[in-house]
Amino acid sequence: MAFIRSDAMSVEFPLYHVGARSLKKRLLAGSSARLRDEANRIVVSALRDLSFAIGPGERVALVGSNGAGKTTLLRCLAGIYEPVRGRLEMQGTVGALIDPAAGMDQEATGRENIVLRGMFLGRSPAECEAMADEAGAFSGLGEFLDVPVRTYSAGMGIRLAFAAATLMSPQILLMDEWFLAGDADFMVRATERLERLVSDAQILVLASHDNAVVRRWCTRVIRMEGGRIVSDLPVAEHFAG
Amino acid sequence: MGYSAAMQREMPTGADHYVRDAADPRMLSRALGDLAGGWRLRRLAWALAWLDTRNRYRGSVFGPFWLTFSTAVMIGGLGLLYSTLLKLDLREYLPFLAVSLILWNMIGQIAGEACLTFTNAEAIIRQMRLPYAVHVLRIVFRNAISAAHSLPLIFLVFLLCGRLPGPEALLALPGLLVLGTCALAGALLLGMLCARFRDIPPIVTNVMQLAFFMSPVLWKPELLGEGQKWLVLNPFYVVMEVVRGPLVEGGAPASIWAAAILFTAALVAVSALFFVRFRARLAFWI
């Protein structure tokens, strides 16, 4: 059975882009004891001491303001960032829908992108072709499926991304709320597909700002602030409080 | 726990059990698992390399063969000029120059692109867990595809000059293996260094430019006279020579082979040490 267990997990980002990254600074810093790394390195504590356990059947919403650490936590659960302190243990296959456009090649056609996505998941070419047909039919892109993605409208891009991203059926589904964009007609079909995806998954972790979405999809709400968990309640109690 | 079990866990999907404990980082087995996972996904890396090649030349009629043309013009022009300057017989010099230039283009291009191995893959790295080795394979495959477009030129020049090599030319194959190993290790190491320190790419460009003139690419090593014995310390030269020697001079001396293998082993070792130590940090550097 799928589960997620996090014990005092912390993640810190060194912010190199702010100016500590250059080799010159590094070399100059090496020559003086006072200008060491600590002095000019800006470290952001993205996640601090997170302890929680999620069992099979749970649908968890991560809520909190921008910068609370929701997406970073999703990335940790997806295995992209590894904890700097503490421990993370997960059981079950993981599927992450974090950024719709990521991994899309703008110059390649929609079909090629879906095949590529299949290969990212380690599928065989034959399986990938079958996936492309299925995703093509689902996305309703028609003949646009064989045109480079850079010519797509924003809505078409989201439809393709959604179709490609939902080709898997993971036991643990990690999702950012981007899927809410898209035209109404598509959303009807998308909701159907999402429902199937979610019901097939044993665990859903969803980062969201939208209370309606949280009420509709989730059973438990973890509220984060400044990288910490401030409350962890069943959905009814969360909204009651 | 054995390595095979450790590698099982590194599958991008299908890995059922995932543990990351900062107090027990298991750096070595996870680095090995990453490499094994990258090899399993080599078809993906190959597909990405083809896509890169196609996108780079999108809309151009001759596509990557432009590279072949420009190399051909370069070989012709430099061949005429330098055979006169260095007072060499053109038919003797041209095969040497053709192989040299094509190999150097390959080495220089890989060194340049290696700097962007991980920074260019940022969108993918931040979206899904994929072995980092996939990005390394992608760069090396892409450069192999691009080099393959120039290889026919070598045979053309050999034919024109009436200097087809004998069976000893097959020794160029192990030479290519050495070169390929260097490319893989170099792309991994430079990719990591450049992700961490954004000043490295211009340094690499400068080093490569200097190395082009300091290494016997345009000029033959014999021209150095007494100084020739020091050439064995030039890693670019020895790695190039284990491919060029068998094709042009009927083989490379044992000292060159030894130096090339030693240098490759050192590069692999440094690159592996870096990867084992900093693999988990790479996602934060991007």
Side-chain angles (χ1 to χ4, degrees):
Chain A
M1 292 305 261
F3 69 83
I4 302 174
R5 188 158 49 229
S6 165
D7 300 311
M9 176 168 67
S10 294
V11 165
E12 285 162 4
F13 276 88
L15 273 194
Y16 300 108
H17 295 280
V18 178
R21 168 142 28 192
S22 90
L23 191 62
K24 183 181 86 184
K25 289 203 174 164
R26 189 62 183 259
L27 290 176
L28 292 181
S31 63
S32 117
R34 291 178 56 211
L35 280 178
R36 297 278 314 170
D37 223 11
E38 313 305 323
N40 63 5
R41 191 161 82 162
I42 300 167
V43 175
V44 175
S45 301
L47 299 178
R48 293 190 274 189
D49 262 344
L50 300 193
S51 294
F52 59 87
I54 301 174
E58 289 203 84
R59 310 271 177 258
V60 180
L62 300 176
V63 300
S65 55
N66 283 324
K70 303 187 298 285
T71 305
T72 305
L73 178 53
L74 282 186
R75 288 208 168 104
C76 283
L77 297 180
I80 296 163
Y81 297 145
E82 298 189 3
V84 175
R85 280 189 302 280
R87 184 170 191 278
L88 174 66
E89 181 176 3
M90 296 172 66
Q91 173 75 44
T93 55
V94 177
L97 311 181
I98 295 176
D99 177 357
M104 286 272 167
D105 191 311
Q106 294 295 313
E107 294 294 329
T109 67
R111 180 183 301 279
E112 286 167 336
N113 266 304
I114 295 170
V115 170
L116 218 51
R117 180 61 59 111
M119 293 178 91
F120 276 123
L121 299 174
R123 305 283 167 79
S124 74
E127 280 177 298
C128 291
E129 289 298 332
M131 284 167 88
D133 288 336
E134 195 207 327
F138 165 70
S139 63
L141 285 170
E143 56 204 357
F144 276 94
L145 195 59
D146 292 303
V147 167
V149 170
R150 77 187 140 80
T151 64
Y152 285 19
S153 68
M156 287 163 76
I158 287 174
R159 276 194 271 169
L160 178 76
F162 186 86
T166 53
L167 283 169
M168 54 197 174
S169 50
Q171 292 167 323
I172 299 174
L173 182 61
L174 311 171
M175 203 151 55
D176 222 332
E177 63 176 352
W178 58 267
F179 61 83
L180 286 171
D183 51 62
D185 167 50
F186 179 70
M187 279 317 293
V188 176
R189 272 182 297 165
T191 306
E192 228 170 83
R193 197 179 176 96
L194 259 185
E195 268 165 3
R196 205 197 64 207
L197 195 68
V198 169
S199 63
D200 285 352
Q202 295 177 22
I203 292 178
L204 169 72
V205 181
L206 169 72
S208 180
H209 284 110
D210 187 332
N211 285 343
V213 171
V214 173
R215 271 183 220 271
R216 160 132 200 233
W217 295 96
C218 302
T219 58
R220 172 178 168 191
V221 181
I222 294 180
R223 195 158 73 82
M224 297 179 69
E225 216 166 83
R228 290 184 201 279
I229 293 179
V230 289
S231 74
D232 182 351
L233 298 166
V235 73
E237 288 176 39
H238 173 79
F239 285 112
Chain B
M1 176 175 305
Y3 279 147
S4 62
M7 283 170 193
Q8 282 289 316
R9 288 205 319 259
E10 300 294 332
M11 291 282 289
T13 55
D16 279 0
H17 197 222
Y18 174 86
V19 184
R20 286 295 183 273
D21 189 343
D24 174 26
R26 293 172 198 267
M27 290 184 194
L28 179 62
S29 74
R30 288 196 175 130
L32 289 172
D34 185 288
L35 297 179
W39 178 246
R40 255 197 307 273
L41 287 174
R42 60 193 177 275
R43 270 218 291 249
L44 168 67
W46 183 252
L48 287 169
W50 266 114
L51 209 62
D52 289 340
T53 309
R54 218 194 48 196
N55 290 346
R56 184 175 297 175
Y57 297 101
R58 177 170 296 272
S60 104
V61 181
F62 293 107
F65 286 103
W66 274 117
L67 203 66
T68 320
F69 296 146
S70 71
T71 313
V73 171
M74 185 100 162
I75 292 170
L78 287 179
L80 280 173
L81 175 66
Y82 276 79
S83 65
T84 317
L85 281 180
L86 304 173
K87 300 185 175 52
L88 292 167
D89 176 23
L90 185 62
R91 286 178 47 157
E92 179 116 13
Y93 180 59
L94 213 51
F96 168 86
L97 181 72
V99 177
S100 293
L101 273 183
I102 287 168
L103 283 177
W104 187 266
N105 279 347
M106 216 158 125
I107 294 172
Q109 204 170 16
I110 290 180
E113 292 184 13
C115 295
L116 305 172
T117 305
F118 298 118
T119 35
N120 270 1
E122 175 185 352
I124 298 175
I125 291 174
R126 286 163 61 87
Q127 161 76 1
M128 58 188 110
R129 181 156 71 103
L130 207 61
Y132 288 113
V134 168
H135 308 297
V136 175
L137 279 179
R138 174 188 192 170
I139 298 289
V140 175
F141 284 160
R142 182 164 83 206
N143 279 283
I145 291 170
S146 140
H149 283 91
S150 297
L151 287 182
L153 268 184
I154 294 183
F155 295 100
L156 192 70
V157 170
F158 281 173
L159 272 179
L160 283 176
C161 298
R163 288 192 168 267
L164 277 181
E168 73 277 359
L170 286 177
L171 275 174
L173 292 178
L176 277 176
L177 193 69
V178 170
L179 186 62
T181 311
C182 282
L184 286 168
L188 181 61
L189 182 63
L190 277 179
M192 291 184 77
L193 284 176
C194 295
R196 174 66 183 81
F197 297 106
R198 302 290 163 112
D199 293 306
I200 305 244
I203 298 178
V204 171
T205 314
N206 284 324
V207 168
M208 292 311 289
Q209 207 162 32
L210 182 67
F212 173 74
F213 291 108
M214 298 297 283
S215 310
V217 182
L218 296 177
W219 45 275
K220 291 197 160 195
E222 297 90 272
L223 292 173
L224 268 188
E226 269 300 289
Q228 200 186 336
K229 60 175 184 289
W230 297 106
L231 267 184
V232 84
L233 297 177
N234 177 342
F236 296 105
Y237 166 64
V238 290
V239 169
M240 192 164 65
E241 190 61 19
V242 292
V243 184
R244 184 174 61 187
L247 289 176
V248 186
E249 272 133 45
S255 60
I256 300 278
W257 276 100
I261 289 170
L262 218 63
F263 171 71
T264 307
L267 184 61
V268 168
V270 172
S271 170
L273 277 176
F274 252 79
F275 188 56
V276 168
R277 174 66 184 80
F278 293 112
R279 182 196 52 80
R281 302 297 304 156
L282 195 42
F284 296 109
W285 291 348
I286 301 297

